[in-house]
Amino acid sequence: MASADTWQQHSDSEREELLPRKSREPETQSVHWRNLIGFWLLGLCNNFSYVVMLSAAHDILRNQSAPENNSHRWKLGLTKANPQLHIQLLVDPEPSPEPTPISHNSTSRYDCNPVSTAAVLLADILPTFIIKMLAPFGLHLLPYSPRIILCGACAASSFLLVAFSQKVMTSLSGVVLTSISCGLGEITFLALTAFYPSEVVSWWSSGTGGAGVLGALSYLGLTLVGLSPENTLISMLGIPVLLLATYFLLLKSPDSLASQRDGVLETSAQQPLAAGESSKPPDPNFNQSLSFSDRWNVFKGLLKYIVPLTLVYFAEYFINQGLFELLFFRNTSLNHAQQYRWYQMLYQVGVFVSRSSLRCCHFRYIWLLAVLQFLNLGFLMAEVWFNFLPSIYLVFLIILYEGFLGGAAYVNTFHRVAVETQDEHREFAMATACIADTLGISLSGALALPLHDFLCQSH
């Protein structure tokens, strides 16, 4: 076996190759697969409510435009079996069947919605952004189990609030709870990967990509077969339960992994913060022992990943929430709402495929992905302005490619952070790096709002 010094120089994936043969026994392989599947399910459950709630937020935004009918119209929006409620994600250019329709600018080339979809994006992302900005400086003081219970409780509460809401503010509270659940969950589970082999990062990323596809399809499918939106949301209460069951029942405690790997016997099997993956006995103060100077130095080292990932997500969500609703083709059999649903679905498919690709290929140069995504943004911005593409199917291909780039940037960023960070810094580094995507999304939402107003007023 390699010496202790040599061992510390290897990344997690390389350490796996240095392990003695006895660690490859069937029982260990079973534990390994339990953890991989566990992190995939955690990624799926954590992002599932976000995908569903961003759609329901469309009705919240529309009702705010007609306050005199808010209570009545929002109640109808949640009890009428409307298969377009979820997938269209804020865009419904067709006349509303409810008592006081919100008129759309049908004379505009873009068939504009009264308010940009970026408005609801901001409402859904800002609580997450605040959590992620504050978490690296104090969240480690709260053990993992209470955090994950809080995530599950917030997700379940969000489904119930929106399902039974008869007031706009109550529904908005449900959206905020979803944002808290997803933001706290992402920063918690990414930090938790520090105690497991780096391979779990790719499975977590794949699960988050799967949430986009499965979340959209499940909601649409349940409403299409006749289940009301209210009952559909209530039926999804199983997702928070699955989240808690995965963490407490399926996921194997990392201290038992450490004992298998390094011969270190631990007494507790329920305290993830009490163990790390190292050739030395786990330090019970794994993350708490970092000084402010240590944290600052780690943060500076992460900028080479945080900055390009922020740029990728800025360009990506500027396209999604600023341009998708303006990419309207009249020479097709698809109406505006259907076009928008296809844009979102193809984007989610691209993200899912690329976030699941780490076992096939690694990509070190995240900056290049940022450049390519900005080229996408520039090209689609030119299409919105000049309307030169002859077919919507060309836009479909570009959006699929956009999803590939975004998913690849996400999974490769966290893979690089996981394998290049020192053991004692990895938990903090993973939790800190995840502010990048949220920062990019928030900035894109803020800038997409005035762009929407400018283009819709000038055309």
Side-chain angles (χ1 to χ4, degrees), residues 331-390:
N331 60 342
T332 177
S333 60
L334 300 173
N335 63 34
H336 198 168
Q338 291 169 337
Q339 291 178 37
Y340 193 88
R341 294 199 299 270
W342 272 104
Y343 293 157
Q344 291 289 346
M345 182 58 67
L346 289 170
Y347 163 76
Q348 296 289 1
V349 169
V351 169
F352 172 65
V353 171
S354 58
R355 287 193 180 190
S356 306
S357 66
L358 193 61
R359 290 181 64 87
C360 303
C361 56
H362 296 177
F363 196 89
R364 182 184 296 269
Y365 303 106
I366 313 300
W367 278 103
L368 180 57
L369 297 177
V371 172
L372 293 174
Q373 198 70 291
F374 266 87
L375 291 176
N376 271 347
L377 172 59
F379 184 85
L380 291 177
M381 181 76 79
E383 162 58 22
V384 167
W385 187 264
F386 297 108
N387 195 25
F388 58 87
L389 289 179

Side-chain angles (χ1 to χ4, degrees), residues 29-178:
Q29 284 293 317
S30 174
V31 170
H32 179 66
W33 278 104
R34 279 180 58 181
N35 288 324
L36 294 182
I37 295 171
F39 271 95
W40 193 91
L41 289 174
L42 291 174
L44 173 71
C45 296
N46 187 71
N47 283 28
F48 194 92
S49 61
Y50 175 83
V51 173
V52 173
M53 286 301 166
L54 192 58
S55 309
H58 164 52
D59 290 273
I60 298 173
L61 181 62
R62 184 171 57 182
N63 291 333
Q64 286 178 313
S65 300
E68 68 278 7
N69 284 331
N70 271 349
S71 176
H72 181 56
R73 294 177 58 206
W74 177 237
K75 183 177 181 181
L76 287 175
L78 289 177
T79 56
K80 180 176 179 181
N82 178 4
Q84 294 183 356
L85 177 62
H86 176 67
I87 296 298
Q88 69 189 51
L89 289 174
L90 313 179
V91 173
D92 186 5
E94 300 175 348
S96 171
E98 297 166 359
T100 305
I102 299 298
S103 61
H104 296 266
N105 187 3
S106 58
T107 61
S108 168
R109 191 179 90 192
Y110 304 118
D111 191 25
C112 292
N113 224 6
V115 182
S116 171
T117 58
V120 175
L121 175 69
L122 284 175
D124 208 14
I125 201 65
L126 287 180
T128 294
F129 179 65
I130 294 171
I131 290 173
K132 289 185 178 182
M133 289 297 294
L134 298 178
F137 303 99
L139 188 61
H140 61 277
L141 300 176
L142 182 66
Y144 280 95
S145 294
R147 288 192 236 169
I148 293 166
I149 291 173
L150 180 59
C151 290
C154 286
S157 299
S158 68
F159 285 128
L160 292 172
L161 278 174
V162 178
F164 292 107
S165 171
Q166 297 184 15
K167 295 183 179 180
V168 173
M169 290 308 300
T170 306
S171 302
L172 284 172
S173 299
V175 176
V176 170
L177 286 175
T178 296

Side-chain angles (χ1 to χ4, degrees), residues 222-284:
L222 289 173
T223 53
L224 282 176
V225 298
L227 202 62
S228 70
E230 177 185 14
N231 290 331
T232 298
L233 288 174
I234 294 174
S235 72
M236 292 180 176
L237 287 171
I239 298 299
V241 174
L242 179 60
L243 175 77
L244 297 177
T246 299
Y247 176 74
F248 288 104
L249 301 179
L250 178 62
L251 207 63
K252 191 69 174 178
S253 177
D255 55 322
S256 61
L257 292 179
S259 66
Q260 291 175 2
R261 173 173 293 185
D262 306 312
V264 178
L265 297 178
E266 296 293 327
T267 59
S268 171
Q270 302 297 329
Q271 298 295 330
L273 283 175
E277 290 198 325
S278 171
S279 59
K280 298 180 290 185
D283 180 2

Side-chain angles (χ1 to χ4, degrees), residues 140 283-292 294-295 424-425:
H140 61 277
D283 180 2
N285 299 314
F286 191 72
N287 194 39
Q288 290 98 317
S289 62
L290 295 181
S291 66
F292 178 81
D294 292 333
R295 294 171 188 271
E424 62 270 22
H425 297 157

